[in-house]
Amino acid sequence: MKPSSKALIVLIVVLLPLSLFYGSDMMELRAEEPRRAIVALEMYLTGNYIVPKINGWDYYNKPPLFNWLIAFCFYLFNSFSEWVVRIPSLVSFLLTGLFHYLFSRKYFKGHTSILASFFFLTSADIFFYGSINAGEIDLFYSLLVYLQVMCIFFFYERKDYLLLFLSSYAFTALGVITKGPPSLAFQALTLLGWFIYNKEFKRLFYWQHILGILLLVGISGGYFYVYAQQADVVGLLVRLTKEATQRSGVESGIIKTLTGAVSFPLLLIQLLLPWSVFVVLWFRKDFFARVKENRLLIFCLIFIACNIPIYWFTGELKNRYIYMFFPFITTLLAYFVEERTGKFERFYAVIQKLIMAGMCLFVLLFLELTFTPYTKEISAIFFKSVLFAFLSAIIALYTIKYVPHRTFYTLLFLVLLRFALSTFYYPVMLASDKNMTYRKTTSEILKIANGEQVYWAENPYVFKSELGIGPVKLKEATHKTAALLAYEIPYYLTRSNKMVMQFDTVIKPGRLYLTTVQFAAGKNLQELYHMRDNWTQNELVLLRGK
């Protein structure tokens, strides 16, 4: 039966979200996920949604909007499980793809808009890494930035300047109470770039813009005002600014900044594979002329050009910091994939043949999984490996046979690989990764505790944050927080016993404490359990105060 592009699109639309949610509770929380989870969990249990806390002590690095979403999901699903922690980001990721299709479809013919969204959703780093660590903040924050800047474009095209400024500044405010100052930079640079390009710079001084700024101040300033009634708001603002500037070239050494700048384009190509290979299609004499013919394409280019230098010239770039650029880059890629002609058509054909060869290779790789010792503990491994090999072979055959639909079959194959990741990689990683042992160790602590609250004891963690520009220091704040501890430990303990793992600087009689071997030394206390914190590299002991 000859497939239609519409049927393939529907199949991808159905299977892609399923591939993201499939197995989302299998992996332990890791990286930044448990930090976001424990803040939200303490909010939920204590009812204090204003001042983020970890182990009962103030946490300064992020405002609370993302934690509110996680806490809402705790309430909605009546569960503190890993899959609940990951829901806000996974939904945000899918919504970014959906909104991008809805925003862009009127500006393109053919399949450009749907391909732009699919390219974004299946770009290698997000699809095979970022969406696994979905308890992190960045997919949600990228959605906010995307909506913020697309409101500028959408309402500008309608010449509705009041809604342009009100809506974009509303999303800016939400970004500020999610991640701090970076949203202000996105707003300022995008407005400047777009209004200067359209020769309407003076409109930035109209009353509609002032109303938008007042809305920003009202929403974000309102939160910080309420925060100030309970905690040190100046210290929080200094820390948030420090968090933003230390990831820019402002505070990085010249060598580190230049090294990062040279490697950045290669990194971007790596993160956007396999679609980034089509960047070659941009190398045509009429590239800028073609871009200028389409209002959305020129906006994409301006948004990237105005904002990406902040991340390009940085000494501390992490891949997830630039996810908000991906929809705009994939739009430019999808457009020129659809508009290819002549030698670019031949190049496209070569790339597709390489992809088909890769599909055939995966057929053999899936069959080989039956015989590798790493997968022997996976239930029904023979059936699963044969099934995935069979599905890979079917997709490869259809890709070879139906030339016009090859891009959609490539997308379908990537979705199959995402299912395979949960089926084969997750179990192997759980069995072999020494950092994936916190569910086991905390369950053993809970058995010993037998319903008692477990406290965390150590010397407090004291650090300073400076507000400044380069060598010029404007304000300094000293922060005192709970001692550093792998956030998986308080998350898994607290989600099970529903009691906040409070931090203490002294060991009090009668209480159960988890502490470091160094802190317990000389106190002549009985050790009840011993474990290792793989994040801080500390040896921890569970003991009872006398």
Side-chain angles (χ1 to χ4, degrees):
M1 182 178 65
K2 185 177 180 180
S4 67
S5 59
K6 184 176 181 180
L8 285 169
I9 290 169
V10 170
L11 187 60
I12 295 167
V13 166
V14 171
L15 292 178
L16 194 150
L18 292 177
S19 74
L20 292 172
F21 287 103
Y22 171 59
S24 61
D25 62 338
M26 191 181 301
M27 295 278 282
E28 287 189 8
L29 297 187
R30 59 179 186 168
E32 291 295 313
E33 290 184 297
R35 189 187 329 221
R36 308 298 163 225
I38 190 57
V39 172
L41 190 49
E42 292 195 21
M43 285 181 172
Y44 182 87
L45 293 174
T46 64
N48 181 356
Y49 290 90
I50 301 303
V51 181
K53 293 178 182 290
I54 295 180
N55 298 121
W57 287 48
D58 291 358
Y59 170 68
Y60 295 96
N61 285 12
K62 293 289 184 295
L65 182 56
F66 185 64
N67 305 115
W68 293 346
L69 278 180
I70 296 176
F72 174 72
C73 288
F74 289 156
Y75 169 78
L76 185 65
F77 296 99
N78 192 29
S79 171
F80 304 136
S81 296
E82 292 92 344
W83 66 270
V84 178
V85 174
R86 290 164 175 150
I87 280 178
S89 286
L90 290 176
V91 172
S92 299
F93 177 45
L94 293 169
L95 284 177
T96 305
L98 175 61
F99 285 135
H100 192 59
Y101 168 71
L102 295 175
F103 274 128
S104 63
R105 60 182 176 174
K106 67 174 286 188
Y107 293 92
F108 302 108
K109 61 183 180 180
H111 295 124
T112 299
S113 56
I114 192 69
L115 286 179
S117 295
F118 281 159
F119 285 4
F120 162 70
L121 291 169
T122 57
S123 54
D125 192 74
I126 298 184
F127 199 44
F128 295 104
Y129 180 79
S131 63
I132 297 175
N133 295 351
E136 295 182 342
I137 201 170
D138 300 276
L139 290 174
F140 171 68
Y141 181 68
S142 295
L143 171 63
L144 291 181
V145 174
Y146 175 81
L147 292 173
Q148 169 188 338
V149 299
M150 284 305 293
C151 282
I152 294 173
F153 173 76
F154 182 78
F155 289 113
Y156 183 90
E157 295 304 291
R158 293 189 171 195
K159 302 303 178 186
D160 191 335
Y161 299 107
L162 180 59
L163 276 179
L164 183 158
F165 290 114
L166 290 179
S167 60
S168 64
Y169 273 106
F171 283 115
T172 303
L174 294 178
V176 168
I177 58 176
T178 298
K179 209 172 183 182
S183 289
L184 301 176
F186 280 115
Q187 183 75 352
L189 294 171
T190 305
L191 283 174
L192 278 172
W194 189 237
F195 277 78
I196 289 173
Y197 173 79
N198 288 286
K199 300 178 182 179
E200 288 204 69
F201 177 74
K202 63 181 181 181
R203 193 168 288 279
L204 296 177
F205 300 95
Y206 282 24
W207 64 271
Q208 294 98 328
H209 193 187
I210 295 172
L211 278 181
I213 294 173
L214 290 175
L215 181 62
L216 164 67
V217 173
I219 296 174
S220 56
Y223 165 72
F224 290 115
Y225 174 79
V226 175
Y227 183 99
Q229 310 310 304
Q230 302 183 29
D232 176 16
V233 72
V234 174
L236 173 66
L237 292 172
V238 170
R239 182 59 188 170
L240 293 178
T241 305
K242 174 68 175 180
E243 279 278 293
T245 58
Q246 73 182 8
R247 289 171 172 80
S248 70
V250 172
E251 295 194 11
S252 300
I254 185 67
I255 300 299
K256 195 173 184 180
T257 301
L258 289 176
T259 302
V262 171
S263 63
F264 183 82
L266 296 176
L267 173 66
L268 204 55
I269 289 172
Q270 174 190 328
L271 300 183
L272 285 162
L273 286 171
W275 314 115
S276 54
V277 296
F278 296 124
V279 72
V280 175
L281 303 180
W282 294 356
F283 292 94
R284 46 192 294 169
K285 293 180 180 179
D286 63 344
F287 174 80
F288 288 106
R290 296 298 297 272
V291 167
K292 288 181 180 179
E293 291 174 358
N294 187 293
R295 292 286 290 172
L296 181 55
L297 287 182
I298 193 62
F299 180 78
C300 290
L301 199 60
I302 287 172
F303 170 73
I304 295 167
C306 290
N307 292 279
I308 211 166
I310 295 176
Y311 297 89
W312 194 323
F313 299 96
T314 179
E316 292 190 31
L317 178 68
K318 293 183 179 179
N319 298 348
R320 63 181 187 271
Y321 295 165
I322 57 175
Y323 285 166
M324 67 285 296
F325 293 100
F326 287 15
F328 302 96
I329 297 172
T330 58
T331 300
L332 289 163
L333 290 169
Y335 175 80
F336 285 100
V337 165
E338 285 288 278
E339 297 296 318
R340 64 190 184 276
T341 57
K343 63 181 180 180
F344 294 109
E345 180 66 51
R346 293 191 293 273
F347 170 79
Y348 177 80
V350 170
I351 295 298
Q352 285 294 339
K353 288 177 181 177
L354 291 174
I355 291 173
M356 286 184 283
M359 291 180 185
C360 295
L361 178 61
F362 267 98
V363 174
L364 299 176
L365 288 175
F366 283 131
L367 290 174
E368 194 271 338
L369 289 175
T370 304
F371 307 103
T372 179
Y374 298 106
T375 59
K376 63 182 179 180
E377 300 300 326
I378 299 176
S379 61
I381 180 61
F382 177 78
F383 170 77
K384 290 175 181 177
S385 62
V386 170
L387 175 62
F388 275 89
F390 173 74
L391 293 174
S392 299
I394 293 296
I395 295 174
L397 289 172
Y398 272 75
T399 306
I400 293 168
K401 186 174 181 180
Y402 297 108
V403 176
H405 302 323
R406 282 179 175 173
T407 302
F408 291 113
Y409 281 116
T410 301
L411 287 161
L412 192 59
F413 186 75
L414 290 172
V415 172
L416 179 68
L417 291 184
R418 187 61 172 78
F419 277 110
L421 190 76
S422 302
T423 303
F424 301 110
Y425 176 70
Y426 286 3
V428 171
M429 189 169 188
L430 281 169
S432 61
D433 192 336
K434 67 177 182 180
N435 294 316
M436 292 282 177
T437 60
Y438 291 108
R439 276 194 292 217
K440 178 178 180 295
T441 53
T442 52
S443 68
E444 292 171 354
I445 290 173
L446 288 164
K447 287 178 183 177
I448 297 170
N450 193 27
E452 286 189 58
Q453 184 170 3
V454 179
Y455 294 81
W456 162 230
E458 243 292 347
N459 294 313
Y461 178 56
V462 181
F463 62 99
K464 292 184 178 181
S465 300
E466 295 176 335
L467 176 61
I469 302 174
V472 181
K473 307 303 178 185
L474 304 176
K475 181 71 177 178
E476 182 178 272
T478 300
H479 310 288
K480 183 183 290 187
T481 66
L484 297 180
L485 177 71
Y487 300 108
E488 293 91 336
I489 297 172
Y491 165 70
Y492 283 110
L493 289 175
T494 303
R495 81 165 190 177
S496 298
N497 63 19
K498 313 297 189 298
M499 293 181 285
V500 173
M501 188 184 186
Q502 298 284 354
F503 177 68
D504 251 335
T505 56
V506 294
I507 295 177
K508 297 175 182 176
R511 291 181 174 181
L512 277 177
Y513 283 94
L514 193 66
T515 186
T516 61
V517 170
Q518 294 87 346
F519 192 76
K523 294 182 172 63
N524 193 28
L525 298 169
Q526 181 184 3
E527 178 182 317
L528 303 175
Y529 185 77
H530 188 283
M531 65 175 289
R532 182 174 179 79
D533 180 342
N534 293 313
W535 182 51
T536 63
Q537 300 299 307
N538 285 325
E539 297 295 324
L540 304 179
V541 291
L542 179 71
L543 46 81
R544 186 179 297 279
K546 292 183 180 180

